[in-house]
Amino acid sequence: MKKTALILISLMLFNFSFSPMFSNEKIKDAKFSDLPTLTQDFIKKYFPNKTIAEINIEKGRKAEIEFKDGIELDFGREGFWKEIESEKGIHLTDLQMLPGQMLTSLKDDFGNWKILKVDQEDLLYEVTLINKKKIKIRYDLNGQYLF
C-alpha cells in the first residue's frame, strides 16, 4: 500500500513539475512592450498607422498581433514575422516587407485577386489569393515566381 501511494505521489509531482514545459498557454492581451524588440521594430516600420486590437504571446515567445482592420500577424520565437493574414484581403501597401519584384508580380499578374495570406517559410513565400477560386503561389526569397 505504501509503495502504491509513493508511486502515485511521484507521478503527480513529475506531472506537476514538467507540465509547464509542454504547455501552450498564451499570455492574452499582452502589451506592446512585452513583444520582442525585433517584433516591435517590424510593426513600427511596416504598420505605423495601424491600431492594434489584440496581442497574444505564447510562453515559447511566439506572438500573434491583430489589428482593428482585421489583419493578423504571426511571429516566430525569434521575433521574425511568419504570416500575414486577413479574410477581408491584404492591400499591397501592407506588404512592403516583401521583395520589390514580388510586389510587382502580385500587382501586375494578380491585380484583380484578393490576397488572403502570405506565409514566410524557410526558403520561400507562399501567397494565398482568391478571385473566383482560391490559389496558392510561391516565390523564392528574392521575389522570383516559382510556380
Side-chain angles (χ1 to χ4, degrees), residues 11 15 17 21 25 31 53 63 74 80 89 100 122 131 135 147:
L11 286 173
N15 188 32
S17 299
M21 287 175 43
E25 187 177 327
K31 297 178 201 152
D74 288 346
F80 293 103
D122 293 331
N131 195 338
I135 64 168
F147 54 90

Side-chain angles (χ1 to χ4, degrees), residues 40-90:
Q40 290 180 33
D41 292 345
F42 180 89
I43 293 169
K44 288 176 189 174
K45 181 175 182 178
Y46 294 110
F47 299 94
N49 300 319
K50 297 236 183 251
T51 304
I52 295 173
E54 186 174 1
I55 298 173
N56 295 312
I57 302 173
E58 290 182 15
K59 285 197 173 185
R61 302 303 294 164
K62 292 181 182 179
E64 299 169 355
I65 290 89
E66 184 176 343
F67 295 107
K68 287 193 175 184
D69 66 358
I71 290 179
E72 297 176 19
L73 301 173
D74 288 346
F75 292 86
R77 293 174 198 211
E78 308 82 26
F80 293 103
W81 75 275
K82 296 289 183 188
E83 181 181 284
I84 299 171
E85 182 175 20
S86 176
E87 290 181 17
K88 297 177 185 177
I90 306 166

Side-chain angles (χ1 to χ4, degrees), residues 4-52:
T4 304
L6 185 60
I7 290 172
L8 285 174
I9 291 171
S10 297
L11 286 173
M12 288 174 34
L13 288 174
F14 177 81
N15 188 32
F16 180 75
S17 299
F18 290 100
S19 62
M21 287 175 43
F22 303 105
S23 172
N24 279 336
E25 187 177 327
K26 293 182 179 181
I27 303 168
K28 291 207 172 253
D29 298 323
K31 297 178 201 152
F32 188 77
S33 59
D34 294 331
L35 295 168
T37 303
L38 190 63
T39 302
Q40 290 180 33
D41 292 345
F42 180 89
I43 293 169
K44 288 176 189 174
K45 181 175 182 178
Y46 294 110
F47 299 94
N49 300 319
K50 297 236 183 251
T51 304
I52 295 173

